Amino acid sequence: MTELRTCAWATVEPELSYHDSEWGVPSRDERFLFEKLILDGAQAGVSWRIILNKREGYRRLFEDFDAVKMADYTDEHLETLLLDPSIIRNRLKVFGARKNARAWLALKSERDPVEYLWSFVGGKPIVHARKSMSEIPATSPEGDALSKDLKQRGFTFVGPTIMYAFMQAAGLVNDHEVTCPRYEVCCELAKNF
C-alpha cells in the first residue's frame, strides 16, 4: 500500500493550509475566480508564499476583489496603492489589476465569465494521475488556449504558465499527486461538479 503524503510543494505554512483547504477545489464562484486570476498574475516572478502572506492586503485594497469598483480606480488611487507594503508594489501588476477588472466586466457583458472559464476544460475538472511533481507540466493546451483568448480580450499577466497555475488553483484541473490525501477528495468533488 502506498503511503499518503501531501503534494511536495505544500510542506510548510501558509502553503500547507492553502493546499489542504483550497487548492484544486473546483469553484463556480465568480468573485473567487476573479480573485484567483488577479492573484495568480500578481505571483509572476515571486513565490506563492509571498502572495498568500499578502492576500488579505490585496482583499482589503481591492475591496474584496470587486471588479466594478476596481475598474473605476483612478491613476491617482492606484498610485496610493503602490505605497502600501501589504501588496506587491509593482506598478505593472497594480495597474494591470485595474485593466483586468475592466476586461472582466467587458467579458461579463458578453457572457457569464464563470461559464467562459470552465468552457476551456469542457465544463468539468480535468483529473490527472500525477505520481510526482516532476510529472506536472508548467503549461497545458487548455491553459495555452485560455491565455491566448484572455490576451485577445485585453487581459494582462495571463501567460500560459500563469493560466495553468490558475486552472490548478481554481480546480479546473486536479494536479494533486496521487499519493496526496487531497487527490481523492478533489476527484470526488470533480465527479459531483
Side-chain angles (χ1 to χ4, degrees):
M1 184 169 125
T2 304
E3 180 183 340
L4 293 181
R5 58 177 167 62
T6 300
C7 293
W9 64 268
T11 58
V12 296
E13 293 300 338
E15 290 96 329
L16 185 57
S17 294
Y18 171 71
H19 168 275
D20 289 353
S21 64
E22 185 177 330
W23 192 77
V25 174
S27 176
R28 290 191 187 274
D29 181 283
E30 181 182 332
R31 192 219 47 85
F32 179 77
L33 292 170
F34 179 64
E35 174 182 335
K36 287 281 192 208
L37 191 72
I38 298 297
L39 291 179
D40 273 298
Q43 193 262 331
V46 299
S47 76
W48 188 241
R49 179 177 299 159
I50 291 171
I51 298 301
L52 288 174
N53 285 328
K54 292 184 179 283
R55 191 177 198 180
E56 290 309 314
Y58 278 101
R59 285 177 172 163
R60 179 175 48 82
L61 295 180
F62 290 153
E63 301 178 74
D64 204 28
F65 292 92
D66 184 319
V68 173
K69 290 178 181 175
M70 291 173 64
D72 283 340
Y73 288 167
T74 64
D75 287 356
E76 294 77 19
H77 181 72
L78 294 176
E79 292 291 346
T80 64
L81 297 184
L82 285 169
L83 301 173
D84 194 314
S86 67
I87 63 170
I88 303 294
R89 293 181 290 177
N90 176 295
R91 176 180 220 73
L92 292 176
K93 291 177 182 180
V94 170
F95 277 74
R98 177 182 64 187
K99 182 177 182 180
N100 285 349
R102 290 174 176 171
W104 184 267
L105 295 175
L107 169 62
K108 192 171 178 171
S109 72
E110 292 176 26
R111 63 187 290 193
D112 180 344
V114 174
E115 296 305 316
Y116 163 81
L117 292 169
W118 278 96
S119 73
F120 287 87
V121 293
K124 298 274 287 177
I126 296 172
V127 177
H128 294 126
R130 315 277 194 201
K131 294 179 181 158
S132 70
M133 290 294 295
S134 64
E135 293 181 8
I136 300 173
T139 63
S140 72
E142 297 83 6
D144 294 351
L146 176 58
S147 170
K148 181 178 178 183
D149 198 70
L150 287 172
K151 286 177 184 176
Q152 289 174 345
R153 293 175 178 276
F155 286 82
T156 189
F157 288 98
V158 290
T161 302
I162 294 170
M163 285 304 89
Y164 193 61
F166 164 81
M167 293 173 113
Q168 293 168 313
L172 282 78
V173 173
N174 179 358
D175 262 347
H176 283 282
E177 295 172 59
V178 294
T179 55
C180 177
R182 296 292 298 166
Y183 176 75
E184 287 299 329
V185 171
C186 289
C187 283
E188 282 303 309
L189 292 170
K191 280 184 205 172
N192 300 315
F193 193 70

